[in-house]
Amino acid sequence: NVLVLSAANHNSSDCRVIILLTMSRDSNYDHHISIFSPQGRLYQMEYAFKAASSASGLTGVAVRGKDSAVVVTQKKVPDRLMVPRSVTSLSKITEKIGCLSTGVVADCKAQVQRARYEAADFAFQYGYPMPVHVLARRMADLAQVNTQSASMRPLATDCIYIGVDDEKGPQCYKVDCAGHYLPFYATASGNKEQEAVNFLEKRLDEMKNYDVNQTIRSAIMCLGTVLGSDFRGSELEVALVHGREGRFHALTEEEIELHLNAIADDADA
């Protein structure tokens, strides 16, 4: 808001226009990541959360069943001239760990690349593959460091890691741009995150006992419900880990179509 005060009625020496800029109490507190507002808020972090949830326009869902963990997301190719297989939100970190990332695409790629480096470095130093919970904690620590310095910025991305733990079996962890990391039975990220979480909460007790096919279909159903649309196999990305020795792998379009047909048959029954 700009308030203009005229001094035309004053002496000629005092005749001037005084422009006073009235700004909100929290003004200028969003210029640096390391400055708190009087209300204790970090505005740059709030902007980062907003970018992580909406920048890609995608929604991702992760569900952990009895012996498997699944991630599902939309597949949108922004340009018809692009090779479709080059556009993906799913990444293999190690043989047993995969990642679903949503947010600013360049930040997602940087986060995935760092996760691969951390996993490879861990395996080199200690002689065994990095457990998924250790990777999630390490990536969360790195993300939190980015919130402490004015010369850095947080990466606008939410990452969901699924993997197989040698002792606990399939696991699912979510790491956000502020450095929070927590294990989940089911979670979501992206544009329709809250709607997806509401859908999953209603089915939590059932999901814990799902086999691999039920887990895949529940994740697809969740995504279809919150987006209000029916999918084709080419419009989805699905990846999973299954069993204690399971490898992270993505399903083909034909395999996704089989699950979509099964969901449609169950709905008609």
Short mmCIF file of all heavy atoms in Angstrom, two decimals, residues 1 21-31 35-41 43 47:
data_model
loop_
_atom_site.label_atom_id
_atom_site.label_comp_id
_atom_site.label_asym_id
_atom_site.label_seq_id
_atom_site.Cartn_x
_atom_site.Cartn_y
_atom_site.Cartn_z
N ASN A 1 0.85 -1.19 0.00
CA ASN A 1 0.00 0.00 0.00
C ASN A 1 0.88 1.24 0.00
O ASN A 1 1.86 1.30 0.73
CB ASN A 1 -0.90 0.01 1.22
CG ASN A 1 -1.84 -1.17 1.25
OD1 ASN A 1 -2.32 -1.58 0.21
ND2 ASN A 1 -2.08 -1.72 2.43
N LEU A 21 5.68 4.16 2.43
CA LEU A 21 5.31 2.79 2.10
C LEU A 21 4.91 2.08 3.38
O LEU A 21 5.73 1.91 4.28
CB LEU A 21 6.49 2.07 1.44
CG LEU A 21 6.99 2.68 0.12
CD1 LEU A 21 8.19 1.90 -0.39
CD2 LEU A 21 5.88 2.69 -0.90
N THR A 22 3.65 1.76 3.44
CA THR A 22 3.18 1.02 4.61
C THR A 22 3.17 -0.46 4.26
O THR A 22 2.51 -0.88 3.32
CB THR A 22 1.75 1.46 4.99
OG1 THR A 22 0.90 1.23 3.89
CG2 THR A 22 1.73 2.93 5.35
N MET A 23 3.88 -1.20 5.02
CA MET A 23 4.05 -2.62 4.72
C MET A 23 3.58 -3.45 5.92
O MET A 23 3.49 -2.95 7.03
CB MET A 23 5.52 -2.93 4.39
CG MET A 23 6.08 -2.02 3.31
SD MET A 23 7.76 -2.39 2.84
CE MET A 23 7.49 -3.88 1.92
N SER A 24 3.30 -4.67 5.67
CA SER A 24 2.81 -5.54 6.72
C SER A 24 3.91 -5.79 7.73
O SER A 24 5.10 -5.58 7.48
CB SER A 24 2.34 -6.88 6.14
OG SER A 24 3.43 -7.58 5.60
N ARG A 25 3.48 -6.27 8.88
CA ARG A 25 4.42 -6.49 9.97
C ARG A 25 5.49 -7.50 9.61
O ARG A 25 6.63 -7.42 10.06
CB ARG A 25 3.65 -6.97 11.21
CG ARG A 25 4.54 -7.17 12.42
CD ARG A 25 3.72 -7.61 13.61
NE ARG A 25 4.57 -7.83 14.77
CZ ARG A 25 4.12 -8.26 15.94
NH1 ARG A 25 2.84 -8.48 16.09
NH2 ARG A 25 4.95 -8.45 16.93
N ASP A 26 5.13 -8.45 8.77
CA ASP A 26 6.07 -9.52 8.42
C ASP A 26 6.87 -9.20 7.17
O ASP A 26 7.49 -10.09 6.59
CB ASP A 26 5.32 -10.84 8.22
CG ASP A 26 4.83 -11.41 9.53
OD1 ASP A 26 5.29 -10.92 10.58
OD2 ASP A 26 3.99 -12.32 9.50
N SER A 27 6.87 -7.96 6.73
CA SER A 27 7.57 -7.61 5.49
C SER A 27 9.07 -7.81 5.64
O SER A 27 9.63 -7.66 6.73
CB SER A 27 7.28 -6.16 5.12
OG SER A 27 7.80 -5.30 6.11
N ASN A 28 9.69 -8.16 4.52
CA ASN A 28 11.15 -8.33 4.43
C ASN A 28 11.67 -9.57 5.16
O ASN A 28 12.87 -9.80 5.16
CB ASN A 28 11.89 -7.10 4.96
CG ASN A 28 11.63 -5.86 4.12
OD1 ASN A 28 11.52 -5.97 2.89
ND2 ASN A 28 11.51 -4.71 4.76
N TYR A 29 10.78 -10.36 5.75
CA TYR A 29 11.25 -11.56 6.43
C TYR A 29 11.31 -12.77 5.50
O TYR A 29 11.65 -13.87 5.93
CB TYR A 29 10.37 -11.88 7.65
CG TYR A 29 10.56 -10.89 8.77
CD1 TYR A 29 9.64 -9.88 8.99
CD2 TYR A 29 11.69 -10.95 9.60
CE1 TYR A 29 9.81 -8.96 10.01
CE2 TYR A 29 11.87 -10.03 10.62
CZ TYR A 29 10.93 -9.05 10.82
OH TYR A 29 11.12 -8.13 11.83
N ASP A 30 10.95 -12.56 4.23
CA ASP A 30 11.04 -13.67 3.28
C ASP A 30 12.22 -13.49 2.32
O ASP A 30 12.30 -14.19 1.32
CB ASP A 30 9.74 -13.81 2.48
CG ASP A 30 9.44 -12.58 1.64
OD1 ASP A 30 10.14 -11.56 1.80
OD2 ASP A 30 8.51 -12.65 0.82
N HIS A 31 13.13 -12.61 2.64
CA HIS A 31 14.27 -12.37 1.76
C HIS A 31 15.37 -13.41 1.96
O HIS A 31 16.15 -13.67 1.05
CB HIS A 31 14.84 -10.98 1.98
CG HIS A 31 13.94 -9.88 1.48
ND1 HIS A 31 14.26 -8.55 1.55
CD2 HIS A 31 12.71 -9.93 0.91
CE1 HIS A 31 13.28 -7.83 1.03
NE2 HIS A 31 12.33 -8.66 0.65
N ILE A 35 16.10 -16.12 8.31
CA ILE A 35 15.51 -15.07 9.14
C ILE A 35 14.10 -15.46 9.55
O ILE A 35 13.24 -15.71 8.69
CB ILE A 35 15.48 -13.72 8.38
CG1 ILE A 35 16.91 -13.26 8.05
CG2 ILE A 35 14.76 -12.66 9.21
CD1 ILE A 35 16.97 -11.98 7.27
N PHE A 36 13.85 -15.49 10.85
CA PHE A 36 12.52 -15.76 11.37
C PHE A 36 11.69 -14.49 11.39
O PHE A 36 12.20 -13.40 11.65
CB PHE A 36 12.58 -16.32 12.79
CG PHE A 36 13.03 -17.75 12.87
CD1 PHE A 36 14.35 -18.08 13.12
CD2 PHE A 36 12.11 -18.78 12.70
CE1 PHE A 36 14.75 -19.40 13.19
CE2 PHE A 36 12.51 -20.09 12.78
CZ PHE A 36 13.83 -20.41 13.01
N SER A 37 10.40 -14.62 11.12
CA SER A 37 9.48 -13.49 11.29
C SER A 37 9.15 -13.35 12.77
O SER A 37 9.43 -14.26 13.56
CB SER A 37 8.21 -13.73 10.48
OG SER A 37 7.38 -14.68 11.15
N PRO A 38 8.54 -12.23 13.18
CA PRO A 38 8.16 -12.09 14.58
C PRO A 38 7.22 -13.19 15.08
O PRO A 38 7.15 -13.46 16.27
CB PRO A 38 7.47 -10.71 14.63
CG PRO A 38 8.09 -9.95 13.50
CD PRO A 38 8.32 -10.98 12.43
N GLN A 39 6.51 -13.80 14.15
CA GLN A 39 5.61 -14.91 14.53
C GLN A 39 6.31 -16.27 14.51
O GLN A 39 5.66 -17.29 14.73
CB GLN A 39 4.41 -14.96 13.58
CG GLN A 39 3.36 -13.90 13.87
CD GLN A 39 3.83 -12.52 13.47
OE1 GLN A 39 4.46 -12.34 12.43
NE2 GLN A 39 3.53 -11.52 14.29
N GLY A 40 7.60 -16.26 14.26
CA GLY A 40 8.36 -17.51 14.27
C GLY A 40 8.25 -18.32 13.00
O GLY A 40 8.42 -19.55 13.03
N ARG A 41 7.98 -17.68 11.88
CA ARG A 41 7.81 -18.40 10.62
C ARG A 41 9.01 -18.17 9.71
O ARG A 41 9.63 -17.11 9.72
CB ARG A 41 6.53 -17.92 9.91
CG ARG A 41 5.28 -18.19 10.71
CD ARG A 41 4.08 -17.46 10.15
NE ARG A 41 3.71 -17.91 8.81
CZ ARG A 41 2.68 -17.43 8.14
NH1 ARG A 41 1.93 -16.46 8.66
NH2 ARG A 41 2.40 -17.89 6.92
N TYR A 43 9.44 -17.93 5.96
CA TYR A 43 8.62 -17.82 4.76
C TYR A 43 9.22 -18.56 3.57
O TYR A 43 8.49 -19.12 2.76
CB TYR A 43 8.38 -16.35 4.41
CG TYR A 43 7.38 -15.69 5.33
CD1 TYR A 43 7.80 -14.90 6.39
CD2 TYR A 43 6.02 -15.90 5.16
CE1 TYR A 43 6.88 -14.31 7.24
CE2 TYR A 43 5.09 -15.32 6.01
CZ TYR A 43 5.53 -14.52 7.04
OH TYR A 43 4.61 -13.95 7.89
N TYR A 47 7.37 -21.24 1.09
CA TYR A 47 7.38 -21.17 -0.37
C TYR A 47 7.92 -22.46 -0.97
O TYR A 47 7.45 -22.93 -2.02
CB TYR A 47 8.22 -19.99 -0.85
CG TYR A 47 7.78 -18.64 -0.33
CD1 TYR A 47 8.68 -17.57 -0.28
CD2 TYR A 47 6.48 -18.41 0.12
CE1 TYR A 47 8.28 -16.33 0.18
CE2 TYR A 47 6.08 -17.18 0.59
CZ TYR A 47 6.99 -16.14 0.62
OH TYR A 47 6.60 -14.91 1.08
#
